[in-house]
Amino acid sequence: RRVRLCPHLTHAKPGSYVHPQWTGSNTNPANNDGQGLAGTDRSNMLPLHDLAANIPDTNYSQGRNWTLNNGIGDWPLSDLTNLALLSPQPQLGGSMQLLNDAGTYFDLGARRVTNAGSWSFVCTRNNNFSNRSHKGRLVCSSDRSDTHVVDGQAYTFKVTDGTKTLAEVTVPAGAFSSLRYLQLRVTPHSAKAAKTDSDSVYGDTWFTDLLRIDVDGQAGEAFATPLLVSMVTNDGADPTEGHDVQVYRMETEFSSAVSHHGPLKSAEATRVEFRVDRPGVYAARGFANAPFGFVGLIVGLLVAALLISLIVAGIIVHRRNPEFFAEKLRFVQRSTQSKV
């Protein structure tokens, strides 16, 4: 199976083949030359530590030999060198400082992605710190994932495991103002790192798996209109049984920083609904083993308040009329004796 490196966020299954290839131009009519010679169009790929960075993730040593900290797809250094320098494709014999004299067409060939992982990359020819972003990310996992093209219209997308719907995302009209790539990926909650910040995480279990929402392969800005998310609950986790279930957001599936996002919109025995206002990883969490949950807590407080009120009232009556309770006690004793 081959996977396109387009859109910017590409998801591949273990064992899939990714085929990096692209074409450029020497006569670009709009002079979209990136950082190179006017009218030329070239592209290359170098690893990034993450999509927020702009400097390739490399180590330079003496003799101008270089190695890479985090490669792309676990491919050999020879492949990564070719992706960076557009070799061994035919060159035009001039300066390669800005890849001006590289060939207009590049073809690395199909490469297999064997191990699970996530690799970010950047085009150093075209990426600019201020006005151009030419980056992407390749993710290899067996998670359920789907990529969709969205614009300003309304859509409803589902992520399934082949037999049932794991998550459903409704995109309202106007949430996006231009053509974008929306990727949805569901990761089992068991994959969440066991170590979490106890001060920021509420509850003792995840009621749902983890839903990752990406736009153009990057963190991105807030949606113009929140998206509605519906997720299936985990086996045995029923949020309608009085549990106080909240929605949490993470930057990644394994992030230790978990922030509170808000309460559920609604809940059924097998599904929960909530709204999201920006890309990220979302899941519902609460107390799975609490006998009454939040509702039980409120009822317990009300019962305690009633008992305290009765006790206070009894004390006040006793102080004002000490014989009141004594007379009641004698009446009960006489009634009991007469019945016996």
Side-chain angles (χ1 to χ4, degrees):
R1 177 187 173 193
R2 291 189 179 185
V3 180
R4 298 175 302 148
L5 272 177
C6 179
H8 302 305
L9 176 61
T10 298
H11 186 274
K13 306 290 184 184
S16 296
Y17 283 84
V18 176
H19 191 168
Q21 62 175 324
W22 53 80
T23 186
S25 172
N26 286 327
T27 56
N28 191 302
N31 272 344
N32 296 320
D33 56 333
Q35 297 301 108
L37 182 67
T40 64
D41 181 15
R42 302 289 188 272
S43 298
N44 65 337
M45 288 174 59
L46 276 86
L48 275 180
H49 179 67
D50 58 57
L51 289 175
N54 284 292
I55 305 299
D57 193 15
T58 60
N59 282 328
Y60 292 90
S61 59
Q62 293 181 357
R64 300 185 65 81
N65 296 320
W66 57 296
T67 59
L68 295 109
N69 301 330
N70 298 309
I72 302 174
D74 285 342
W75 299 332
L77 184 60
S78 58
D79 282 349
L80 302 179
T81 302
N82 292 338
L83 285 169
L85 304 179
L86 305 187
S87 59
Q89 310 294 330
Q91 311 296 330
L92 302 181
S95 172
M96 287 292 291
Q97 183 176 359
L98 295 176
L99 304 177
N100 290 332
D101 282 340
T104 56
Y105 175 69
F106 176 83
D107 182 4
L108 182 68
R111 295 294 187 266
R112 189 176 187 182
V113 185
T114 305
N115 299 318
S118 177
W119 303 275
S120 299
F121 53 87
V122 61
C123 171
T124 55
R125 154 77 180 228
N126 297 324
N127 190 70
N128 188 285
F129 294 90
S130 60
N131 62 349
R132 270 190 314 275
S133 178
H134 195 171
K135 305 175 184 178
R137 184 170 62 189
L138 171 63
V139 177
C140 180
S141 74
S142 7
D143 302 335
R144 302 297 177 178
S145 176
D146 291 296
T147 301
H148 309 276
V149 179
V150 296
D151 50 22
Q153 303 181 58
Y155 300 92
T156 297
F157 301 117
K158 296 181 179 180
V159 181
T160 70
D161 63 358
T163 58
K164 65 179 180 180
T165 299
L166 303 177
E168 182 176 302
V169 176
T170 299
V171 180
F176 299 99
S177 58
S178 60
L179 197 68
R180 311 293 289 272
Y181 289 103
L182 174 69
Q183 186 177 61
L184 310 173
R185 185 167 79 245
V186 174
T187 302
H189 67 93
S190 57
K192 178 75 177 73
K195 183 179 179 181
T196 55
D197 185 354
S198 58
D199 294 334
S200 62
V201 180
Y202 178 80
D204 57 16
T205 192
W206 297 105
F207 274 72
T208 66
D209 287 332
L210 311 177
L211 172 64
R212 185 184 187 98
I213 302 177
D214 276 304
V215 178
D216 291 343
Q218 303 184 39
E221 57 190 20
F223 306 131
T225 305
L227 312 186
L228 177 62
V229 173
S230 175
M231 293 193 70
V232 65
T233 56
N234 298 320
D235 294 339
D238 185 352
T240 64
E241 293 184 347
H243 303 296
D244 181 22
V245 183
Q246 301 290 319
V247 179
Y248 285 87
R249 179 184 181 276
M250 296 152 277
E251 290 295 333
T252 70
E253 290 85 345
F254 302 98
S255 173
S256 60
V258 181
S259 59
H260 180 258
H261 180 69
L264 295 175
K265 178 179 180 291
S266 64
E268 301 175 1
T270 59
R271 302 194 72 82
V272 297
E273 284 188 358
F274 51 91
R275 297 189 182 278
V276 299
D277 58 0
R278 64 186 60 248
V281 179
Y282 294 89
R285 184 177 172 88
F287 286 104
N289 301 317
F292 300 105
F294 182 72
V295 175
L297 177 62
I298 296 299
V299 173
L301 291 175
L302 292 175
V303 171
L306 178 60
L307 291 175
I308 292 174
S309 299
L310 291 175
I311 293 173
V312 172
I315 294 174
I316 293 175
V317 171
H318 177 71
R319 287 183 176 180
R320 293 184 177 180
N321 187 3
E323 292 296 323
F324 178 80
F325 288 106
E327 179 61 29
K328 294 295 182 181
L329 179 60
R330 287 193 293 269
F331 175 78
V332 172
Q333 290 175 341
R334 289 195 299 269
S335 299
T336 304
Q337 291 173 356
S338 62
K339 288 182 181 180
V340 175

